[in-house]
Amino acid sequence: MTSSPGSPGSPDAVPGPPRPRALTFHGPLGEARAAELTARLAAHRPATVLDIGCGWGELMLRVLAAVPGATGTGLDVDEEDLARGRALAAGRGLAGRVEFLAESATGTRRGPADLVLCLGASQALTGAAPPRLVPEALGELRRLVRPGGRVLLGEGFWERPPSPGELAGMWPDAAAGDHPSLAELVDEAVAAGFRPARIETATPAEWEEFESGYREDVEVWLAAHPGHPEAATVRERTDRQRAAWLNGYRNVLGIAYLTLVPQE
């Protein structure tokens, strides 16, 4: 007997591909580093935390849990990530101290805050394209942090200049000017009015955990549902993402975690 469309036995009745739920953080940030960052940021007792491009706001929630009475605001335009953040907050007893708002961070008036988090989300602060994107985002972060506060910036940089072949294997229209070097990134932060209290970079192990975790649930779903109506599209996208990492930016693109202090 053949199944009719939409019946329990038909391929299109199977739930669609999952979101990347294997991830704790939406970036190459490991548990050990996250614990250290949380402890250091919480030690300054921020009363207000602003998370730019927050996703589900995992690090913000950890800081709030470590600082009784602190309040947080997360800004993002992805409704599913925001819903996950609200659920996480409720499960940790933090729902009354945090807002997850579906709105753009460009030109936001939600600051200033004692602690501003911007992890891989500089593009949320400005419509500028590289090479102006990061300097303009840093200018916005300087505006959004209170005197004596902290900014935690997670930003990409080239570990070394990418070759033409590596650029061709990355995202569409990837160019050498898409990212600065680490030294250039830190200089841009200083020019924006910050002092770099700490300069840290993601390890290869953190990258591998992120890249594998990003695709793990989807790969398992594809293996179990090869005939699903969405499978071909999802498979093509997932294969393209994996190839971009392995053939393009692996060991070339780095992520810096800069703890920045605004100059008076």
Side-chain angles (χ1 to χ4, degrees), residues 36-62:
E36 292 171 0
L37 287 170
T38 298
R40 286 203 301 267
L41 296 171
H44 297 283
R45 314 305 292 176
T48 53
V49 182
L50 177 62
D51 194 347
I52 302 296
C54 64
W56 52 87
E58 177 65 32
L59 191 64
M60 174 175 62
L61 293 176
R62 294 188 184 200

Side-chain angles (χ1 to χ4, degrees), residues 16-84:
R19 303 275 285 185
R21 298 292 181 177
L23 292 175
T24 301
F25 299 97
H26 205 293
L29 177 61
E31 282 291 342
R33 188 188 308 278
E36 292 171 0
L37 287 170
T38 298
R40 286 203 301 267
L41 296 171
H44 297 283
R45 314 305 292 176
T48 53
V49 182
L50 177 62
D51 194 347
I52 302 296
C54 64
W56 52 87
E58 177 65 32
L59 191 64
M60 174 175 62
L61 293 176
R62 294 188 184 200
V63 172
L64 295 179
V67 185
T71 60
T73 302
L75 306 181
D76 208 302
V77 295
D78 189 311
E79 291 282 6
E80 290 192 48
D81 281 352
L82 292 168
R84 179 180 176 184

Side-chain angles (χ1 to χ4, degrees), residues 202-221:
T203 66
E206 287 176 306
W207 269 107
E208 289 180 359
E209 177 62 27
F210 168 62
E211 292 289 343
S212 295
Y214 186 78
R215 283 177 287 276
E216 180 179 357
D217 291 344
V218 175
E219 294 285 16
V220 172
W221 180 88

